[in-house]
């Protein structure tokens, strides 16, 4: 059969490739690495070269096309299934992986049946051999999937940058691949367990740790670590006990190391490329997160939200839809939490802010810390100057390098609860560009915000639109629709939006600034770090073979697998470390030069409107925008989108959603429905999700 012949051809090619390269410096391990892992590294090097040549990505604004078209990346084709909202481009990727897995299983099964047909065994013997061969095939396919598993969670990866896929979106791919990989590895282990049980040698086989060939016990340990991680990723466990999910996921180190011990160096090298890139990225993030960043402003806002403002160097770039990972040392030395940025990069080059909704224990403790700093006993109070500080460590910022919200002339922003945070930054971005007379494509913006109680309405007033862009309503058609779902009538004090704010402001406008080592930092330095680590890996492996493995005739599989992992980690530290040190020194000199320039300027003129507002201790009252508030109702997206379709006509409309999964599904379903039944004079709705769900 064709599939059987293709499998045989693949086996013959692998054998001929291995025999042709066995006599090389790196031996069989190098052969497998060159064949399976080097393509990922080569693509990474090409991506680095492309980013270095192109330099900083600039936004190219184009007028609205006369002929709006559906795009694969923004057209939701699956909604509400096990994968959530899936775009057409993502669906193609899922299908490719599904086809590969099914084809591999079928081809391997045919190959196994051919092997069994050539042997004279009892019925039980054939079943045992079939289980063992099938288990081997499941393990092989799982290794191929593992080669891609770590790529989406390399937060600062140039591979994600080159295709403009932000980390929060790539995390979904890691989840999908994780389910597939662990399913294959679980079936791999289950087949062997059943076969050994049928032979009556289950315990002896499980405890076996051979020097040559596969070491079983390390594989059992690796699989158990993987199963613990897998179980805690289930939504019921993750959402109810995030800390359990977070801490058990640190077992990835156990999973990877014992997998290398289980299969040995040359088999592990099949998946080593993607894991190596993750090791490089993880060490870089470790170096960035060691720096402590003083919170220069902390504000308790109505509705159970906390705003934190951090100092950052002017050369650290981010967009209004970026996010950061945050650790507060006074609360926990281990927990990191992702938050969307709530400030526009145009609002001030020396600070970045996040808006945090109080939902769990960590965020409740953070709010209590801020209230304690401001000397407030109750839920809210008046501001007081305090020398006490909150010490934070920050990773990022991450996200799209190009602000894609500025590529649409027409925008619909849909937020649920604290999902308003990134849209405050988006509106600030648009208003600053409009005020400065710079190119700004968005002209029609509809903000839809669903909240539970009306006290959250005051969050809108943290954005002083009129002070950013006077008379902005003459240049921007901005409409805000708020839906208060848990209240049927407006409270009597609805109009009072400028009080009940508790603020703690540091006397200094700049504390210890964020590091530029990760996120949207310098591509030359980050590229040099990856390349130097990769070269260092090749050098360490060569030195190990020349001076240790070959002279001593070391042939123990599990030990050579451990040495391979050690070379991966060592190269990132020994060869990548000096690059990070030089990068850090370069950053310090840039900051010193920046501070010298600032001293020549009037300090008062450098204060952003944000800090002036915070020091006044209240949120300013804006001139009202076109805002309607609906009590006891939820947004009817079919009615809203149909109305917008009639009003805005034949245009491209960018739809950005930030909120829970149910909200994303409702909006995506409506985008798909409108696009499928659109007429010649109706718009195309482009669905984009900004929701981060670990």
């Amino acid at each position: 059969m064709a599939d059987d012949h293709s499998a045989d051809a693949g086996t013959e090619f692998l054998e001929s490739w291995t025999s042709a390269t066995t006599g090389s410096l790196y031996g069989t391990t190098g052969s497998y690495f060159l064949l399976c892992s080097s393509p990922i590294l080569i693509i990474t090097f090409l991506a680095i070269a492309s980013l270095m040549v192109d330099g900083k990505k600039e936004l190219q604004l184009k007028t609205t096309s006369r002929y709006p078209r559906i795009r694969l990346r923004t057209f939701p084709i699956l909604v509400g299934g096990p994968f959530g909202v899936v775009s057409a481009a993502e669906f193609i990727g899922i299908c490719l992986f599904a086809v590969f897995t099914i084809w591999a299983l079928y081809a391997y099964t045919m190959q196994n049946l051919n092997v069994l047909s050539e042997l004279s065994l009892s019925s039980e013997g054939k079943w045992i051999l079939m289980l063992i061969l099938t288990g081997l095939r499941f393990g092989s396919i799982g290794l191929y999937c593992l080669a891609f598993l770590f790529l989406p969670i390399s937060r600062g990866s140039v591979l994600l940058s080159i295709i403009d896929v932000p980390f929060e979106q790539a995390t979904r791919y890691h989840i999908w691949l994780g389910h597939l990989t662990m399913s294959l590895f679980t079936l791999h282990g289950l087949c062997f367990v059943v076969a050994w049980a049928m032979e009556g040698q289950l315990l002896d086989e499980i405890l076996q740790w051979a020097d040559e060939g596969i070491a079983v016990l390390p594989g059992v340990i690796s699989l158990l670590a993987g199963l613990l991680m897998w179980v805690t990723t289930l939504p019921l466990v993750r959402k109810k006990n995030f800390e359990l999910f977070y801490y058990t996921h640190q077992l990835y180190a156990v999973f990877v190391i014992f997998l290398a011990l289980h299969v040995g160096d040359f088999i592990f090298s099949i998946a080593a490329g993607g894991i190596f890139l993750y090791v490089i990225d993880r060490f870089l993030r470790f170096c960035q997160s060691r720096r402590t960043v003083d919170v220069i402003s902390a504000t308790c806002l109505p509705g159970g939200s906390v705003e934190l403002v951090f100092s950052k160097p002017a050369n650290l770039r981010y967009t209004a839809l970026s996010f950061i990972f945050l650790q507060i040392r006074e609360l926990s030395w281990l927990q990191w939490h992702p938050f969307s940025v709530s400030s526009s990069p145009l609002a001030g080059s020396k600070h970045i802010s996040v808006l945090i909704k109080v939902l769990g224990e960590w965020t409740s403790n953070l709010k209590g810390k801020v209230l304690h700093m401001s000397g407030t006993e109750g839920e809210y109070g008046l501001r007081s100057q305090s020398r006490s500080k909150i010490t934070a460590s920050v990773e990022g910022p991450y996200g799209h390098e190009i602000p894609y919200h500025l590529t649409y002339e027409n925008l619909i922003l849909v937020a649920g609860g604290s999902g308003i945070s990134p849209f405050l930054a988006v509106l600030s971005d648009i208003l600053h560009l409009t005020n400065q007379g710079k190119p700004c494509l968005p002209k029609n913006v509809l903000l839809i915000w669903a909240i539970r109680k009306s006290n959250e309405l005051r969050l809108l007033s943290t954005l002083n639109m009129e002070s950013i862009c006077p008379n902005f309503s003459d240049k921007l058609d901005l409409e805000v629709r708020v839906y208060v779902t848990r209240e049927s009538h407006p409270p009597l004090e609805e109009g009072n939006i400028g009080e009940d704010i508790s603020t703690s402001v540091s006397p200094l406008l700049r504390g210890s600034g964020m590091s530029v080592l990760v996120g949207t930092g310098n591509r030359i330095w980050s590229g040099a770090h990856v390349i130097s680590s990769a070269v260092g890996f090749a050098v360490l492996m060569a030195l190990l073979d020349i001076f240790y493995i070959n002279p001593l005739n070391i042939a123990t599989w599990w030990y050579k697998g451990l040495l391979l992992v050690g070379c991966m980690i060592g190269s990132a530290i020994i060869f990548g470390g000096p690059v990070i040190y030089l990068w850090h020194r370069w950053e310090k000199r840039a900051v010193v030069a920046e501070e010298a320039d600032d001293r020549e300027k009037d300090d008062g003129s450098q204060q952003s409107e944000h800090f002036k507002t915070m020091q006044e201790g209240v949120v300013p009252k804006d001139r009202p925008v076109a805002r309607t508030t609906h009590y006891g109702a939820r947004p009817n997206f079919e009615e809203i989108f149909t109305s917008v379709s009639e009003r805005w006509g034949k245009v491209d409309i960018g739809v950005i959603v930030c909120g829970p999964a149910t909200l994303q599904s409702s909006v995506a379903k409506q985008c798909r429905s409108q696009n499928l039944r659109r007429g010649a004079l109706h718009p195309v709705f482009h669905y984009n999700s900004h929701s981060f769900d670990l």
Side-chain angles (χ1 to χ4, degrees):
M1 297 179 67
D3 293 303
D4 189 35
H5 290 312
S6 63
D8 291 337
T11 303
E12 292 176 3
F13 170 76
L14 183 60
E15 291 176 352
S16 61
W17 172 268
T18 304
S19 60
T21 55
T22 298
S24 64
L25 175 62
Y26 298 101
T28 305
T29 302
S31 301
Y32 275 79
F33 190 92
L34 187 62
L35 182 64
C36 301
S37 291
S38 64
I40 294 177
L41 297 182
I42 292 172
I43 294 173
T44 301
F45 297 154
L46 294 176
I48 291 171
S50 175
L51 291 173
M52 286 182 176
V53 170
D54 293 343
K56 178 181 176 181
K57 290 186 178 180
E58 297 290 346
L59 179 66
Q60 297 180 353
L61 300 179
K62 299 179 180 180
T63 56
T64 303
S65 172
R66 292 177 56 190
Y67 305 101
R69 293 182 301 174
I70 291 175
R71 304 168 192 166
L72 292 179
R73 292 181 63 169
T74 59
F75 177 63
I77 193 169
L78 296 180
V79 178
F83 294 99
V85 179
V86 178
S87 69
E90 292 170 337
F91 181 72
I92 293 173
I94 292 173
C95 289
L96 290 176
F97 265 95
V99 168
F100 162 74
T101 303
I102 295 172
W103 170 83
L105 288 173
Y106 176 74
Y108 280 142
T109 301
M110 293 297 101
Q111 199 173 42
N112 293 344
L113 292 175
N114 285 338
V115 171
L116 289 174
S117 64
E118 297 174 359
L119 299 175
S120 298
L121 297 172
S122 64
S123 176
E124 183 180 0
K126 288 185 177 181
W127 274 109
I128 292 174
L129 182 57
M130 186 63 178
L131 285 170
I132 291 175
L133 292 175
T134 303
L136 287 173
R137 306 314 186 190
F138 278 131
S140 298
I141 302 172
L143 272 177
Y144 298 139
C145 295
L146 183 64
F148 298 94
L149 180 62
F150 286 85
L151 294 177
I153 54 171
S154 298
R155 299 175 188 172
S157 171
V158 294
L159 294 178
L160 298 181
S161 298
I162 200 70
I163 59 176
D164 198 29
V165 174
F167 170 70
E168 73 272 18
Q169 182 177 336
T171 302
R172 303 173 68 220
Y173 310 151
H174 171 74
I175 295 172
W176 299 344
L177 282 169
H179 288 311
L180 176 60
T181 303
M182 284 310 304
S183 297
L184 292 168
F185 281 155
T186 302
L187 291 172
H188 163 75
L190 189 61
C191 286
F192 278 97
V193 167
V194 174
W196 292 334
M198 292 176 66
E199 291 179 327
Q201 299 177 355
L202 179 59
L203 185 60
D204 292 338
E205 291 288 352
I206 285 179
L207 297 178
Q208 178 258 352
W209 192 319
D211 288 339
E212 292 190 14
I214 300 296
V216 178
L217 183 57
V220 173
I221 297 173
S222 176
L223 181 58
L224 290 176
L227 288 174
L228 280 174
M229 290 189 291
W230 193 21
V231 169
T232 55
T233 60
L234 299 177
L236 288 177
V237 179
R238 187 180 71 249
K239 292 181 179 180
K240 289 186 177 180
N241 198 332
F242 179 82
E243 286 76 16
L244 178 63
F245 155 77
Y246 178 81
Y247 292 133
T248 54
H249 234 63
Q250 307 313 306
L251 291 173
Y252 75 88
V254 176
F255 173 77
V256 170
I257 292 173
F258 278 88
L259 176 63
L261 297 176
H262 172 56
V263 299
D265 56 338
F266 72 91
I267 297 179
F268 182 75
S269 63
I270 294 174
I275 297 174
F276 180 54
L277 290 177
Y278 175 78
V279 170
I280 295 173
D281 177 77
R282 187 65 189 88
F283 178 66
L284 184 61
R285 291 192 283 117
F286 172 81
C287 294
Q288 186 200 32
S289 62
R290 294 310 92 196
R291 173 180 294 189
T292 58
V293 181
D294 290 336
V295 178
I296 55 180
S297 174
T299 308
C300 282
L301 300 171
S305 296
V306 176
E307 183 188 50
L308 301 180
V309 182
F310 308 98
S311 171
K312 80 170 189 69
N315 62 337
L316 177 63
R317 296 186 294 113
Y318 72 99
T319 72
L321 290 174
S322 296
F323 68 95
I324 63 173
F325 277 81
L326 176 63
Q327 176 202 63
I328 302 296
R329 298 285 177 89
E330 288 81 0
L331 302 181
S332 173
W333 281 75
L334 298 177
Q335 294 187 36
W336 291 83
H337 296 266
F339 297 103
S340 296
V341 168
S342 60
S343 60
S344 164
L346 301 176
S349 62
K350 304 295 179 62
H351 75 274
I352 185 172
S353 63
V354 294
L355 197 62
I356 301 171
K357 178 75 171 178
V358 177
L359 294 174
E361 181 181 355
W362 188 89
T363 51
S364 298
N365 292 338
L366 174 61
K367 179 181 177 181
K369 177 71 175 176
V370 174
L371 292 174
H372 176 73
M373 289 171 59
S374 63
T376 305
E377 297 293 336
E379 183 178 5
Y380 306 114
L382 297 177
R383 174 190 61 81
S384 66
Q385 295 289 342
S386 173
R387 300 296 299 220
S388 177
K389 294 182 179 179
I390 295 177
T391 307
S393 292
V394 176
E395 285 186 13
Y398 302 106
H400 287 277
E401 292 195 6
I402 296 178
Y404 69 90
H405 58 280
L406 297 179
T407 63
Y408 297 103
E409 185 174 333
N410 309 278
L411 274 176
I412 298 179
L413 310 176
V414 184
S418 59
I420 192 65
S421 175
F423 296 149
L424 295 176
V426 167
L427 292 177
S428 178
D429 228 20
I430 296 172
L431 292 170
H432 275 95
L433 287 172
T434 302
N435 185 57
Q436 295 170 10
K438 295 181 179 180
C440 181
L441 207 54
K443 295 295 185 292
N444 303 301
V445 180
L446 171 60
L447 173 61
I448 302 170
W449 187 24
I451 56 178
R452 293 183 178 181
K453 296 185 177 181
S454 58
N455 60 352
E456 297 182 50
L457 282 169
R458 299 184 178 113
L459 292 178
L460 284 176
S461 300
T462 60
L463 180 64
N464 192 350
M465 300 184 188
E466 192 64 30
S467 67
I468 296 174
C469 182
N471 302 317
F472 69 88
S473 57
D474 298 335
K475 309 169 186 176
L476 175 69
D477 183 9
L478 173 61
E479 181 184 358
V480 178
R481 300 184 189 180
V482 183
Y483 295 82
V484 185
T485 60
R486 297 287 181 88
E487 296 178 1
S488 56
H489 302 285
L492 296 177
E493 67 277 7
E494 180 189 20
N496 186 3
I497 63 172
E499 300 177 0
D500 293 302
I501 307 295
S502 175
T503 307
S504 176
V505 182
S506 169
L508 298 176
L509 288 181
R510 290 200 306 271
S512 300
M514 293 168 54
S515 171
V516 298
L517 291 181
V518 184
T520 52
N522 189 296
R523 285 302 175 193
I524 295 178
W525 282 110
S526 62
H529 173 242
V530 174
I531 293 173
S532 63
S533 298
V535 172
F537 176 66
V539 170
L540 285 182
M541 288 295 295
L543 294 175
L544 201 63
D545 281 333
I546 294 172
F547 296 105
Y548 184 61
I549 294 178
N550 293 333
L552 299 180
N553 293 321
I554 294 176
T556 305
W557 282 29
W558 66 264
Y559 184 56
K560 292 176 71 174
L562 182 62
L563 291 176
L564 178 62
V565 174
C567 286
M568 292 166 59
I569 299 173
S571 61
I573 298 174
I574 298 172
F575 289 84
V579 176
I580 294 177
Y581 173 76
L582 294 175
W583 189 356
H584 175 69
R585 299 293 300 177
W586 170 84
E587 178 195 356
K588 286 189 68 174
R589 284 196 298 192
V591 172
V592 169
E594 172 190 310
E595 291 177 348
D597 292 339
D598 287 346
R599 283 194 292 268
E600 297 176 1
K601 300 177 182 179
D602 179 18
D603 290 339
S605 64
Q606 296 301 307
Q607 282 194 13
S608 68
E609 184 64 30
H610 175 88
F611 290 111
K612 293 177 182 178
T613 299
M614 289 298 100
Q615 288 179 321
E616 290 171 3
V618 295
V619 175
K621 295 184 179 180
D622 246 344
R623 198 169 77 177
V625 299
R627 188 180 89 184
T628 56
T629 305
H630 306 267
Y631 288 89
R634 298 180 182 275
N636 185 332
F637 290 111
E638 181 177 5
E639 179 182 317
I640 294 171
F641 278 53
T642 302
S643 173
V644 167
S645 178
E646 298 294 335
R647 284 165 45 203
W648 291 355
K650 186 180 178 181
V651 294
D652 287 300
I653 299 178
V655 182
I656 308 177
V657 186
C658 185
T662 52
L663 181 66
Q664 297 176 56
S665 297
S666 298
V667 176
K669 190 177 298 183
Q670 194 54 226
C671 287
R672 182 182 64 182
S673 175
Q674 293 284 341
N675 289 338
L676 290 177
R677 66 171 190 245
R678 65 181 289 263
L681 300 178
H682 290 139
V684 172
F685 293 89
H686 300 278
Y687 175 85
N688 300 272
S689 174
H690 186 65
S691 302
F692 191 100
D693 186 20
L694 267 180

